[in-house]
Amino acid sequence: MKGQVFAITLVVLSGVSTFVMFITTMHSLDRTRNSFYNDYNFADVFVNLKRAPESLKEKIKEVPGVNRVETRVSAHVKLDINGFSEPVTGQIVSVPDDGQPMLNRLHIRKGRLADSTKDNEVVINETFAHAHGFNLGDKFAAVINGKWKKLTITGIALSPEFVLVMRPYSMSPDFKRYGILWMSRKAISRAYNMEGAFNNIALTLYPGAKVSDVLRELDNIVERYGGYGAYDRKDQISHRLLNEEFNMLRNMSKIFPTIFICVAAFLLNVVMSRTINTQREQVAALKAFGYNNVAIGIHYAQLVVLIVLAGLVLGIVAGIWLGGILGGIYMEVYRFPALVFVLKPWVIISAIFISIASALVGTVHSLWRAAQQPPAEAMRAEPPAKYKITLLEKMGVGRKFSQPTRIIARNIERKPVRTMLSILGIAVACATMISSGFFKDSVDYMVNVQFVLSQKEDMAVGFVEPTSYRALYEIKEMEGVHYAETFRTVPVKFRFGRSSYKTVINGIEPDSRLHPLLDSNLKPVTLPQEGIILNDYLGKILGVKAGDMLTVEILEGSKAIRQVQVVSLVKLYLGVMGYMDVKALNRLMREGEAVSGVYLTADNQYQEKLYRSFVSMPRVSGTIVRKNEIRNFYDVQAKGMLFFTFIATLMAGSISIGVVYNNARIALSERSRELSSLRVLGYTRGEISYILLGELVVIAIAAIPLGFIIGYALCGYIAAALQSDLFRVPLIIEMKTFALAAVVVMISASISGLIVRHKLDHLDLVEVLKTRE
Amino acid sequence: MSRKIDAADKTKEIVFQVKDLAKTYKMGEVEVHALRGANMELYAGELVVLLGPSGSGKSTLLNILGGLDKATSGFVSYRGNDLTKASEQELTEYRRFHVGFVFQFYNLIPSLTALENVAVVTEIAKNPMKPEDALALVGLTERLDHFPAQLSGGEQQRVAIARAISKNPQVMLCDEPTGALDSQTGVVVLEALERVNRELGTATAIITHNVDIAAMADRVIHLSNGRISEVTANKVRKSPHDIQW
């Protein structure tokens, strides 16, 4: 039983360790986040506006429910970093002149806050500093309100507001090309002519305050100051993405451990019923000596617990260890002062309870049977197992079967439940493997759709403010530019009935060559001449359907409220936005032909020169280079994905080895007598191996297609569970992922087969003839 | 009734020749000398009973004759071929084509019907009889499609005999074929063995500790303590029908 116990231990270990890993990582991140938020006064509500006098602060303080209010000045800037020729942008946030802000306080990793008497000092966020290898005293340049300025780094910091630093409307964090700069309020106000004014508010609420009322009231107050719409934490990008990460961890902690625990329970069931069967005589003897059913039941239950215990203990240790690794991987992207490792006792208790309880549930039938046997009956040898002509043979298929093939068929059919569960177990291993490949496949697919098929530009150039169409011609004239087209992005709040959602409308040129809107079938979506297209995810959030009139609150410029008809909902993988023909959007805005930016393709050798010149253009707010975006996406995702694939492969391997090996061992112990008899009758080792391994091969082969189906369904479930504002994971599974899963199953089956074959070659022919079954 | 073996028998064709055969094996810490220098022959067409108490070495002897076990020292030949030097593969082939086995516990394949249990052997034999014919020979024509679980002990053993004879073996080796059966059923099984020996002329060695069964043999080889203590010949073979125990 050594090998089998080992296999079960492996499966229990996998289940318990993934459970502990996911849950403790989630708890740790949650606790870490909460203490960071509390200790550093993370704000509850944020408001962006164009410009308001400082006196407005008092009015905001009077809003019922509002506790503490802090005004700030914030701006988006272009940066120029020595030795890094690609475009970099950033956000400057003001810090009070007298030191730490009241809300969203900074955790200074190194150095100090910027001196308010100096206008060239900044504190930068840690990921940005690490990405460029910046240290205190290092300098870089920024275009602040159209003027070049050399900035000196005085500190490196973290902020609860920027746990995850992400450029607005981008798909993935880019630590190299986007940074947060904290500057003294005095310096930034002077640079942006914001003295005595502000353009950003952070505030906290009293407990029990009704968030939606506060937001509405705030919007009313700041409306005439060019408010872009107040929002609370759930729409705050760093917070929202952390929440989505927690959701993912929560789902993972449910899906995978459940699979393992079920497999382990099944394996225990098979092993225990076999063990009890072979020990029926001892059981009878014990009973004859006066042991009662309870004592016998407890004896075997103890054995079950003992087998589970090893996997449980190792699993908890491994889970804590892996949780530390996973937490570390998260900490590279999500920055907290320190990871507070949380190991809640109930996690351990439930791991123990769940695994032991399911093991006992899995074996209760055999335990009951062991306890129920009357001693006399148990001491008698078991009668020959009952067999039947198989269905296949009744249908006439089996007439040509050789006897060994018949043996295989009948053994498989005799224990249909166990056979089905074995097939299911291996299928689940196969499915687990597919689900790990699925992540890579779907990400590859999304990247291809997003960055290759629907973003054909080399660069996207954004303007500080909506600009006239002339800008397009100016850019087209630049050296090296092949082709250019405009886009218009308008921040809006959609309202429909009681639902609302803050996002942007993307105005795209009809028949756009560089930025076609593709639906989930990769067909270009034709933009209507009037009206708006929403992606279906946004449609679902708002509860709209084609033909509905949607209220659009424009969050810039005129701040007008308009109505627009929803023409259709299309399925898109990324973002939650509305799409319009750029001309229709401009009509909706009633502002003539304004553009927010330009997509362009350019000669390779001119690209660097081009974005250097964009950096120096005051009207250009930033430039995004497509190929950098792709590379960065993979850089950020790579480590996590590798870790997950590694874990999943390990787990899938352990399940399939566990199931196949156990099957093979049980089959061997059940059949060693008849196989030895066949050897005595002159069958060769190869011929009897065929009988035993043939059965395994049939089970494994049946399991693979079922595994494909379960894998597909599992991926569908995961994809649904992971859908978020950022992206909907497409259910894309490459052929090679299926193939790899099948190969892993076949390899683990072969390894188990080889071990059993080795045992088959050493059957004791004489021994088996002396004993009756 | 019995007489000492006479020289004339030695002119018969020898199937097995055993010389100074010894077998020692370890059972836990203890060394067991199962055979301590046995000498014997088995001739074509004869029915021999190997008689002896348990532990006398008769099963060990039969297992070595059947190519299931290797001797520690000494010599065994089958029709002039040295079995002690045969490889694993050669022994498998030897069992496959030349030997028919019958065991105390039948060793049928539970998942196969009576007919199929015989077919297991005929499928791999060189010149087999039809499985139906083999089963007819043991009087089981009516039970061809029954699984072992549906057959009585005696019927199961007769299936085992049919299986053993179906390949037309040169020699039948039977280890306590009636050991697990009551006397009445045992007689039926012995009749089947006797009939096969008589009609097909298959050299047959039957192991038993049952003295009464010895009466049906041409010769009786007595074993005790790992040695052949005595070989006697029956002038007349008693029909199993007349044997009772």
Side-chain angles (χ1 to χ4, degrees), chain B residues 107-172:
Chain B
N107 292 68
L108 297 180
I109 310 297
S111 54
L112 299 179
T113 63
L115 187 75
E116 291 159 353
N117 259 291
V118 178
V120 151
V121 164
T122 58
E123 261 176 17
I124 59 166
K126 269 181 184 154
N127 181 28
M129 49 174 97
K130 280 177 71 182
E132 291 86 346
D133 297 343
L135 284 162
L137 217 56
V138 295
L140 283 177
T141 308
E142 304 294 305
R143 314 282 275 169
L144 299 184
D145 294 328
H146 288 62
F147 283 96
Q150 300 165 310
L151 297 169
S152 72
E155 286 171 330
Q156 289 184 56
Q157 191 60 298
R158 277 145 69 199
V159 174
I161 294 170
R163 179 176 69 182
I165 58 167
S166 61
K167 68 171 86 159
N168 280 316
Q170 302 292 325
V171 42
M172 289 264 283

Side-chain angles (χ1 to χ4, degrees), chain A residues 387 403 410 677 679 683 687, chain B residues 88 96 107 111 116 120:
Chain A
Y387 282 88
Q403 302 314 318
R410 288 185 190 161
S677 303
R679 285 282 285 135
Y683 274 73
E687 283 163 339
Chain B
E88 167 65 38
R96 188 173 186 131
N107 292 68
S111 54
E116 291 159 353
V120 151

Side-chain angles (χ1 to χ4, degrees), chain B:
Chain B
M1 235 204 317
S2 62
R3 59 185 167 92
K4 294 275 179 214
I5 187 162
D6 64 2
D9 288 341
K10 285 183 180 161
T11 59
K12 288 187 191 163
E13 188 192 349
I14 295 174
V15 179
F16 285 118
Q17 178 139 41
V18 176
K19 269 187 190 155
D20 302 324
L21 198 65
K23 172 74 181 176
T24 312
Y25 56 88
K26 278 207 165 152
M27 234 166 95
E29 299 283 301
V30 192
E31 263 201 357
V32 179
H33 297 274
L35 288 175
R36 305 163 184 262
N39 292 287
M40 64 157 278
E41 288 87 29
L42 183 70
Y43 302 105
E46 73 170 341
L47 195 153
V48 164
V49 165
L50 296 169
L51 193 65
S54 59
S56 60
K58 51 190 194 309
S59 282
T60 308
L61 177 60
L62 195 84
N63 287 339
I64 293 172
L65 291 180
L68 295 174
D69 208 350
K70 289 245 176 192
T72 312
S73 66
F75 170 81
V76 189
S77 73
Y78 166 76
R79 292 184 178 277
N81 299 309
D82 189 351
L83 287 183
T84 50
K85 292 209 176 80
S87 68
E88 167 65 38
Q89 212 180 335
E90 286 165 333
L91 286 179
T92 301
E93 207 161 289
Y94 160 68
R95 294 197 300 270
R96 188 173 186 131
F97 299 124
H98 301 277
V99 190
F101 284 104
V102 178
F103 302 104
Q104 182 176 3
F105 301 116
Y106 334 130
N107 292 68
L108 297 180
I109 310 297
S111 54
L112 299 179
T113 63
L115 187 75
E116 291 159 353
N117 259 291
V118 178
V120 151
V121 164
T122 58
E123 261 176 17
I124 59 166
K126 269 181 184 154
N127 181 28
M129 49 174 97
K130 280 177 71 182
E132 291 86 346
D133 297 343
L135 284 162
L137 217 56
V138 295
L140 283 177
T141 308
E142 304 294 305
R143 314 282 275 169
L144 299 184
D145 294 328
H146 288 62
F147 283 96
Q150 300 165 310
L151 297 169
S152 72
E155 286 171 330
Q156 289 184 56
Q157 191 60 298
R158 277 145 69 199
V159 174
I161 294 170
R163 179 176 69 182
I165 58 167
S166 61
K167 68 171 86 159
N168 280 316
Q170 302 292 325
V171 42
M172 289 264 283
L173 301 176
C174 314
D175 193 349
E176 298 275 10
T178 60
L181 302 172
D182 61 70
S183 147
Q184 236 176 339
T185 321
V187 167
V188 179
V189 166
L190 291 176
E191 276 176 336
L193 284 173
E194 194 272 339
R195 183 173 169 198
V196 168
N197 172 261
R198 182 162 34 81
E199 292 183 5
L200 305 177
T202 314
T204 305
I206 300 172
I207 282 186
T208 180
H209 61 268
N210 187 335
V211 186
D212 300 309
I213 292 175
M216 68 180 279
D218 291 309
R219 290 192 301 144
V220 184
I221 298 173
H222 299 261
L223 277 102
S224 71
N225 216 9
R227 290 195 182 85
I228 310 277
S229 54
E230 191 187 11
V231 180
T232 57
N234 292 324
K235 257 186 199 149
V236 185
R237 289 192 347 192
K238 205 173 188 178
S239 157
H241 189 69
D242 300 327
I243 297 175
Q244 259 191 341
W245 67 87

Side-chain angles (χ1 to χ4, degrees), chain A residues 346-405:
Chain A
W346 74 257
V347 175
I348 305 295
I349 292 167
S350 35
I352 294 170
F353 178 77
I354 293 167
S355 46
I356 288 182
S358 41
L360 288 176
V361 167
T363 52
V364 71
H365 178 71
S366 350
L367 294 180
W368 188 80
R369 238 182 33 162
Q372 284 301 307
Q373 278 174 359
E377 191 184 305
M379 261 193 264
R380 236 174 281 137
E382 248 194 311
K386 290 196 180 72
Y387 282 88
K388 282 199 297 259
I389 308 286
T390 58
L391 209 62
L392 270 180
E393 293 168 284
K394 281 183 195 155
M395 287 170 1
V397 181
R399 210 163 294 149
K400 292 228 169 82
F401 281 178
S402 70
Q403 302 314 318
T405 307

